Short mmCIF file of all heavy atoms in Angstrom, two decimals:
data_model
loop_
_atom_site.label_atom_id
_atom_site.label_comp_id
_atom_site.label_asym_id
_atom_site.label_seq_id
_atom_site.Cartn_x
_atom_site.Cartn_y
_atom_site.Cartn_z
N THR A 114 -39.00 -42.01 -52.02
CA THR A 114 -38.42 -42.02 -53.45
C THR A 114 -37.87 -40.71 -53.81
O THR A 114 -37.09 -40.50 -54.75
CB THR A 114 -39.50 -42.40 -54.41
OG1 THR A 114 -40.57 -41.59 -54.33
CG2 THR A 114 -39.86 -43.90 -54.22
N GLU A 115 -38.26 -39.59 -53.14
CA GLU A 115 -37.89 -38.28 -53.35
C GLU A 115 -36.57 -37.92 -52.69
O GLU A 115 -35.99 -36.84 -52.93
CB GLU A 115 -38.93 -37.22 -53.04
CG GLU A 115 -40.22 -37.38 -53.82
CD GLU A 115 -41.30 -36.40 -53.35
OE1 GLU A 115 -40.98 -35.24 -53.30
OE2 GLU A 115 -42.48 -36.87 -53.15
N ILE A 116 -35.99 -38.81 -51.91
CA ILE A 116 -34.70 -38.56 -51.37
C ILE A 116 -33.79 -39.60 -51.95
O ILE A 116 -34.24 -40.46 -52.64
CB ILE A 116 -34.73 -38.66 -49.78
CG1 ILE A 116 -35.03 -40.12 -49.29
CG2 ILE A 116 -35.71 -37.69 -49.24
CD1 ILE A 116 -35.10 -40.20 -47.78
N SER A 117 -32.46 -39.56 -51.62
CA SER A 117 -31.54 -40.48 -52.34
C SER A 117 -31.84 -41.92 -51.85
O SER A 117 -32.31 -42.18 -50.78
CB SER A 117 -30.07 -40.05 -51.83
OG SER A 117 -29.95 -40.29 -50.44
N ALA A 118 -31.46 -42.82 -52.74
CA ALA A 118 -31.80 -44.24 -52.44
C ALA A 118 -31.08 -44.83 -51.34
O ALA A 118 -31.65 -45.53 -50.58
CB ALA A 118 -31.41 -45.06 -53.79
N GLU A 119 -29.88 -44.36 -51.05
CA GLU A 119 -29.05 -44.84 -49.91
C GLU A 119 -29.67 -44.38 -48.65
O GLU A 119 -29.86 -45.22 -47.68
CB GLU A 119 -27.65 -44.31 -50.04
CG GLU A 119 -26.67 -44.80 -48.87
CD GLU A 119 -25.27 -44.20 -48.94
OE1 GLU A 119 -24.97 -43.60 -50.07
OE2 GLU A 119 -24.58 -44.30 -47.94
N ASP A 120 -30.16 -43.09 -48.50
CA ASP A 120 -30.76 -42.63 -47.38
C ASP A 120 -32.14 -43.21 -47.12
O ASP A 120 -32.51 -43.60 -45.88
CB ASP A 120 -31.01 -41.06 -47.42
CG ASP A 120 -29.63 -40.40 -47.30
OD1 ASP A 120 -28.71 -40.66 -46.44
OD2 ASP A 120 -29.41 -39.42 -47.97
N ALA A 121 -32.87 -43.52 -48.15
CA ALA A 121 -34.17 -44.07 -48.03
C ALA A 121 -34.01 -45.54 -47.57
O ALA A 121 -34.82 -46.01 -46.67
CB ALA A 121 -34.93 -44.14 -49.43
N GLU A 122 -33.05 -46.34 -48.04
CA GLU A 122 -32.84 -47.67 -47.56
C GLU A 122 -32.48 -47.61 -46.12
O GLU A 122 -32.92 -48.56 -45.36
CB GLU A 122 -31.73 -48.30 -48.38
CG GLU A 122 -31.47 -49.77 -48.06
CD GLU A 122 -30.45 -50.36 -49.05
OE1 GLU A 122 -30.10 -49.65 -49.93
OE2 GLU A 122 -30.05 -51.52 -48.70
N LYS A 123 -31.67 -46.69 -45.62
CA LYS A 123 -31.20 -46.73 -44.32
C LYS A 123 -32.37 -46.44 -43.39
O LYS A 123 -32.60 -47.02 -42.34
CB LYS A 123 -30.13 -45.61 -44.08
CG LYS A 123 -29.53 -45.65 -42.64
CD LYS A 123 -28.47 -44.63 -42.57
CE LYS A 123 -27.79 -44.52 -41.20
NZ LYS A 123 -28.81 -44.26 -40.15
N ILE A 124 -33.21 -45.48 -43.77
CA ILE A 124 -34.47 -45.11 -42.94
C ILE A 124 -35.43 -46.23 -42.79
O ILE A 124 -35.87 -46.59 -41.75
CB ILE A 124 -35.15 -43.92 -43.60
CG1 ILE A 124 -34.22 -42.61 -43.46
CG2 ILE A 124 -36.50 -43.62 -42.97
CD1 ILE A 124 -34.76 -41.39 -44.16
N LEU A 125 -35.64 -47.01 -43.97
CA LEU A 125 -36.47 -48.11 -43.90
C LEU A 125 -36.07 -49.28 -43.15
O LEU A 125 -36.81 -50.02 -42.57
CB LEU A 125 -36.88 -48.55 -45.40
CG LEU A 125 -37.64 -47.51 -46.13
CD1 LEU A 125 -37.71 -47.94 -47.65
CD2 LEU A 125 -39.07 -47.25 -45.57
N GLU A 126 -34.63 -49.50 -43.13
CA GLU A 126 -34.10 -50.45 -42.31
C GLU A 126 -34.26 -50.21 -40.87
O GLU A 126 -34.50 -51.12 -39.99
CB GLU A 126 -32.69 -50.63 -42.73
CG GLU A 126 -32.44 -51.44 -44.04
CD GLU A 126 -30.99 -51.56 -44.46
OE1 GLU A 126 -30.20 -51.04 -43.62
OE2 GLU A 126 -30.63 -52.14 -45.43
N ASP A 127 -33.96 -48.99 -40.47
CA ASP A 127 -33.99 -48.64 -39.06
C ASP A 127 -35.35 -48.78 -38.42
O ASP A 127 -35.56 -49.31 -37.33
CB ASP A 127 -33.47 -47.14 -38.85
CG ASP A 127 -32.02 -46.99 -39.24
OD1 ASP A 127 -31.32 -48.07 -39.25
OD2 ASP A 127 -31.59 -45.86 -39.37
N SER A 128 -36.38 -48.23 -39.12
CA SER A 128 -37.80 -48.36 -38.56
C SER A 128 -38.73 -48.03 -39.75
O SER A 128 -38.36 -47.34 -40.74
CB SER A 128 -37.91 -47.35 -37.34
OG SER A 128 -37.77 -46.12 -37.75
N LYS A 129 -39.98 -48.36 -39.52
CA LYS A 129 -40.98 -48.05 -40.43
C LYS A 129 -41.61 -46.70 -40.17
O LYS A 129 -42.68 -46.59 -39.60
CB LYS A 129 -42.08 -49.20 -40.49
CG LYS A 129 -41.61 -50.50 -40.97
CD LYS A 129 -42.61 -51.54 -40.99
CE LYS A 129 -42.13 -52.90 -41.45
NZ LYS A 129 -43.30 -53.84 -41.43
N GLU A 130 -40.84 -45.64 -40.48
CA GLU A 130 -41.28 -44.32 -40.19
C GLU A 130 -42.25 -43.80 -41.28
O GLU A 130 -42.14 -44.30 -42.41
CB GLU A 130 -40.03 -43.39 -40.14
CG GLU A 130 -39.10 -43.61 -39.12
CD GLU A 130 -38.06 -42.66 -38.91
OE1 GLU A 130 -38.15 -41.54 -39.64
OE2 GLU A 130 -37.05 -42.89 -38.18
N PRO A 131 -43.23 -42.99 -40.95
CA PRO A 131 -44.14 -42.42 -41.83
C PRO A 131 -43.44 -41.55 -42.80
O PRO A 131 -42.33 -41.03 -42.53
CB PRO A 131 -45.15 -41.69 -41.05
CG PRO A 131 -44.42 -41.36 -39.82
CD PRO A 131 -43.42 -42.49 -39.55
N PRO A 132 -44.06 -41.20 -43.98
CA PRO A 132 -43.48 -40.22 -44.87
C PRO A 132 -43.23 -38.87 -44.28
O PRO A 132 -43.89 -38.50 -43.20
CB PRO A 132 -44.58 -40.17 -46.08
CG PRO A 132 -45.28 -41.46 -45.94
CD PRO A 132 -45.28 -41.82 -44.52
N ILE A 133 -42.25 -38.10 -44.79
CA ILE A 133 -41.98 -36.76 -44.24
C ILE A 133 -43.10 -35.81 -44.65
O ILE A 133 -43.35 -35.69 -45.84
CB ILE A 133 -40.57 -36.31 -44.78
CG1 ILE A 133 -39.57 -37.37 -44.54
CG2 ILE A 133 -40.21 -35.04 -44.06
CD1 ILE A 133 -38.22 -37.12 -45.26
N LYS A 134 -43.72 -35.16 -43.72
CA LYS A 134 -44.62 -34.03 -43.96
C LYS A 134 -44.05 -32.79 -44.25
O LYS A 134 -42.94 -32.45 -43.74
CB LYS A 134 -45.70 -34.02 -42.78
CG LYS A 134 -46.61 -35.21 -42.71
CD LYS A 134 -47.78 -34.81 -41.74
CE LYS A 134 -48.86 -35.86 -41.79
NZ LYS A 134 -49.98 -35.50 -40.93
N GLU A 135 -44.75 -32.02 -45.05
CA GLU A 135 -44.11 -30.67 -45.42
C GLU A 135 -43.99 -29.81 -44.24
O GLU A 135 -43.06 -28.94 -44.10
CB GLU A 135 -44.97 -30.01 -46.56
CG GLU A 135 -44.32 -28.76 -46.95
CD GLU A 135 -44.77 -28.35 -48.35
OE1 GLU A 135 -44.21 -28.92 -49.35
OE2 GLU A 135 -45.66 -27.48 -48.54
N GLU A 136 -44.86 -29.94 -43.28
CA GLU A 136 -44.70 -29.06 -42.05
C GLU A 136 -43.41 -29.28 -41.34
O GLU A 136 -42.78 -28.36 -40.88
CB GLU A 136 -45.90 -29.40 -41.16
CG GLU A 136 -45.98 -28.45 -39.88
CD GLU A 136 -47.11 -28.73 -38.99
OE1 GLU A 136 -47.03 -29.89 -38.43
OE2 GLU A 136 -48.07 -27.93 -38.90
N ALA A 137 -42.94 -30.60 -41.31
CA ALA A 137 -41.66 -30.88 -40.74
C ALA A 137 -40.54 -30.30 -41.57
O ALA A 137 -39.53 -29.82 -40.92
CB ALA A 137 -41.46 -32.33 -40.59
N ARG A 138 -40.62 -30.34 -42.83
CA ARG A 138 -39.67 -29.70 -43.73
C ARG A 138 -39.60 -28.19 -43.47
O ARG A 138 -38.46 -27.57 -43.52
CB ARG A 138 -39.93 -30.05 -45.08
CG ARG A 138 -38.81 -29.54 -46.08
CD ARG A 138 -39.21 -29.70 -47.55
NE ARG A 138 -38.14 -29.10 -48.45
CZ ARG A 138 -38.31 -28.90 -49.77
NH1 ARG A 138 -39.44 -29.18 -50.34
NH2 ARG A 138 -37.25 -28.47 -50.46
N LEU A 139 -40.76 -27.62 -43.28
CA LEU A 139 -40.87 -26.12 -43.10
C LEU A 139 -40.12 -25.76 -41.84
O LEU A 139 -39.37 -24.75 -41.74
CB LEU A 139 -42.34 -25.73 -43.09
CG LEU A 139 -42.64 -24.24 -42.73
CD1 LEU A 139 -42.14 -23.43 -43.97
CD2 LEU A 139 -44.14 -23.96 -42.52
N VAL A 140 -40.41 -26.52 -40.75
CA VAL A 140 -39.74 -26.22 -39.49
C VAL A 140 -38.26 -26.28 -39.63
O VAL A 140 -37.51 -25.47 -39.09
CB VAL A 140 -40.20 -27.32 -38.41
CG1 VAL A 140 -39.33 -27.23 -37.09
CG2 VAL A 140 -41.70 -27.13 -38.05
N ALA A 141 -37.74 -27.39 -40.22
CA ALA A 141 -36.23 -27.54 -40.38
C ALA A 141 -35.62 -26.47 -41.31
O ALA A 141 -34.63 -25.97 -40.94
CB ALA A 141 -36.01 -28.93 -40.96
N THR A 142 -36.34 -26.02 -42.25
CA THR A 142 -35.78 -25.04 -43.22
C THR A 142 -35.73 -23.69 -42.47
O THR A 142 -34.68 -23.02 -42.66
CB THR A 142 -36.67 -24.94 -44.49
OG1 THR A 142 -36.81 -26.18 -45.10
CG2 THR A 142 -36.12 -23.86 -45.39
N ILE A 143 -36.74 -23.33 -41.77
CA ILE A 143 -36.67 -21.98 -41.04
C ILE A 143 -35.51 -22.05 -40.03
O ILE A 143 -34.77 -21.04 -39.85
CB ILE A 143 -38.01 -21.81 -40.30
CG1 ILE A 143 -39.20 -21.60 -41.24
CG2 ILE A 143 -37.97 -20.51 -39.39
CD1 ILE A 143 -40.59 -21.63 -40.64
#
Side-chain angles (χ1 to χ4, degrees):
T114 54
E115 297 180 48
I116 65 178
S117 66
E119 182 181 347
D120 291 316
E122 184 178 351
K123 184 178 183 300
I124 291 172
L125 292 174
E126 284 179 357
D127 292 343
S128 61
K129 294 182 180 179
E130 294 185 15
I133 307 168
K134 285 194 174 183
E135 183 156 281
E136 185 180 67
R138 185 190 179 190
L139 179 66
V140 171
T142 301
I143 295 170

